[in-house]
Amino acid sequence: LIASPGSSRAQTGVGTSIAEWETLRPAGEEFEILMPKNSTSEVTKETYHKMTLTMRLYLSDHPSGAVFAVTSMSGIKSNPALYSEGERVNSYVDAFRRWFPVKLRGKEAVGKISLVGVTQLNGHSGRNYNFVIGELSGSLQVFATRKRFYAIAFLNKKKDVATKERFLGSFLLPQKVNEPEPTVAADT
């Protein structure tokens, strides 16, 4: 886990008390986000429909009961000839929905998501979901880049809008760069 020392103090007396945050910028990733200090990370490989997905989980399962998580996934290549970008994102969302609850709470855990709406972040298309795992409920945001799929989840046993917004709102991706059209040499 690589983090910069960009810690800041959370507002006290508002919802879940997170005393110290740090800016997380993992090597090899495209994102940065504010996470509670002492988050953990791990990398696993999972099979999903005959594809091997690499899952990188950055997690803070906070003593207050709040769960802060960013999952970076790769393995479903962008291939417009075979499937649309929406279908690629749907596959990643399905893989995350099956994998994350088990990772967080054990093999009997089931995640339920319901689409709230679509969003954009620096040109990257995304979606917002309500997310429930057992007694935990909250929000899930997902974004796809050319290289990766990102799922950002905030779950808690109690409603905490301020902490949720601080966490989810701190997620950043670089500006999307559109690929230039291929140049075709003119016949001479």
Side-chain angles (χ1 to χ4, degrees), residues 47-78:
T47 301
Y48 178 78
H49 295 289
K50 299 180 183 178
M51 291 177 274
T52 300
L53 301 184
T54 301
M55 322 283 230
R56 295 167 196 82
L57 176 62
Y58 307 93
L59 178 69
S60 175
D61 201 349
H62 198 264
S64 67
V67 174
F68 304 80
V70 178
T71 301
S72 167
M73 299 167 70
S74 59
I76 303 175
K77 304 288 185 227
S78 181

Side-chain angles (χ1 to χ4, degrees), residues 54-127:
T54 301
M55 322 283 230
R56 295 167 196 82
L57 176 62
Y58 307 93
L59 178 69
S60 175
D61 201 349
H62 198 264
S64 67
V67 174
F68 304 80
V70 178
T71 301
S72 167
M73 299 167 70
S74 59
I76 303 175
K77 304 288 185 227
S78 181
N79 188 344
L82 293 178
Y83 44 82
S84 71
E85 187 62 16
E87 290 170 321
R88 176 177 170 253
V89 171
N90 288 345
S91 293
Y92 272 127
V93 169
D94 184 56
F96 174 82
R97 183 189 57 80
R98 294 168 188 246
W99 171 79
F100 183 73
V102 172
K103 194 74 173 158
L104 189 65
R105 294 293 188 248
K107 66 181 178 179
E108 301 300 317
V110 175
K112 297 176 185 167
I113 63 172
S114 57
L115 183 64
V116 174
V118 295
T119 188
Q120 288 263 325
L121 178 62
N122 288 333
H124 301 280
S125 297
R127 300 178 188 166

